[in-house]
Amino acid sequence: MTDTPEPSQHEPNPQASLHADAAKRRIEQAVHDNDANLRAVAREIHADPELSFREHRAQRRLIAPLEAAGFAVETGLAGLETSFRAVWSGGAGAADGPTVALLAEYDALPGVGHACGHNLIGTSAVGAALALKEACPDLPGRLIVLGTPAEEEGGGKIIMSEAGIFDGVDAVMMCHPQEKTMVLRGALACVDATFTFRGRQAHASSSPERGISALDAMINAFVAINSIRQFVKDDVRIHGIITKGGDAPNVVPELCEAVFILRAADVDGLHTVREKVYRAVRAAAEGVGAEVGIAEGLIYAERNNNRELARLFRANLENMGLEVSDPPKSGGVGSSDIGNVSRLTAAIHPYIRLGDAGTHTPAFAELAGGEAGMVYLNRAARALALTAYDLFADSSALAAVRGEFEAWKQSEQEKENA
Ligand SMILES: [Zn+2]
Ligand SMILES: [Zn+2]
């Protein structure tokens, strides 16, 4: 094709054949050729943010170009209306070839819209798939774009994992915008917990002795949680807000509510933290004669990055001329529902730099809808498509990725049996 490679930064991979280099140039050119369409989709989703499980218009915007390109699309997987699966089986022998899934997220945050840049995540997965099909129509395998709703709240990938949606998928990947380009950043296990405190209403001045303050129970719970912070591991994060704090200062509050997120390095560590926090919360309520109910969300597992897959992704980023930073040695991480997927199959969740703003801020939302976001989109689509190509075209690369995952699974099994 007529693409201009980047010879100055291009370090030829000794294993890559001339054939692979040509195919990769075609893939990158296909992403470039589709750039205006991808930008339009990403900008439309950005301008029309939809919250977790309600991403109907974003779903349609992502599905439309896949359908037009001949992908077989179905929606409503695992009972999630706003999920989708778009499948393309390549050339001869595709049925016996590998299955690679690119994950699309497209949910927004309350108040700050696309402040996590999921408009770019969804569109880059679609852009990568379209380019791969366009440039390499005879690819020996199945390429899937999986629309996974509700990453921010609800854990769509957890629900899809439990429904078997990832069965038979050899590798999954997605790419997330961030301040730095990083490939092997981890993520903590986490769970959200809603604490509902129930006391008894009374006039706060004329008959306070008849009341039980749900608010005092809740304040005591915050204090009790703070008092256990010293006695947990460094990786633990416990953070909460008050969502109901009473209705009037002259009424002893009957119902108060706080929502917390608990995090730890892994699910085992998270169980320890849950026990300590819940005990502190129950004791705080009991201390003032109140009751407390605890409602938990789904448990997000820690991220199990596949290093072999990450190595392929990193090589593609570097061939594109991008500088890759090391992940932080400690701290600096959140959680994501891809953690649960990474226990089922080989997975990566790398990051490409968007600009100088932290995720979940208005400044990040602005970048995600502006020119920086569109540059990110082009880069992420290329890196995803090139790495997927590596898995289809190089059976030894795929074998290394799968070998690492199977070895990890076995070691987990042995830990469980021990
Ligand atoms: Zn987020
Ligand atoms: Zn995000």
Side-chain angles (χ1 to χ4, degrees), residues 41-208:
V41 172
R43 285 203 154 112
E44 279 173 27
I45 296 174
H46 185 273
D48 184 17
E50 297 166 294
L51 301 181
S52 293
F53 296 124
R54 286 180 261 166
E55 315 94 323
H56 295 279
R57 293 182 298 276
Q59 179 207 46
R60 282 202 293 275
R61 288 178 171 119
L62 294 171
I63 286 174
L66 292 165
E67 267 176 341
F71 282 74
V73 178
E74 56 187 313
T75 60
L77 288 84
L80 305 180
E81 267 182 52
T82 54
S83 66
F84 71 87
R85 176 165 50 202
V87 182
W88 166 60
S89 288
D96 303 321
T99 298
V100 176
L102 306 176
L103 304 189
E105 293 174 358
Y106 33 94
D107 56 329
L109 288 155
V112 278
H114 276 292
C116 210
H118 294 187
N119 62 314
L120 305 173
I121 295 177
T123 314
S124 63
V126 170
L130 294 173
L132 205 50
K133 180 174 188 295
E134 167 81 23
C136 306
D138 296 324
L139 225 47
R142 286 192 339 141
L143 178 65
I144 298 178
V145 181
L146 211 46
T148 61
E151 190 277 334
E152 296 290 0
E153 201 190 343
K157 293 184 203 67
I158 303 174
I159 298 165
M160 294 171 79
S161 292
E162 288 169 358
I165 301 299
F166 293 92
D167 293 357
V169 177
D170 294 294
V172 306
M173 58 186 130
M174 56 177 283
C175 189
H176 200 298
Q178 235 270 348
E179 276 180 275
K180 285 183 179 170
T181 300
M182 292 177 286
V183 175
L184 276 174
R185 186 174 183 246
L188 301 172
C190 88
V191 69
D192 64 79
T194 300
F195 303 132
T196 306
F197 298 89
R198 282 187 188 280
R200 191 189 309 133
Q201 272 182 347
H203 193 293
S205 175
S206 64
S207 52

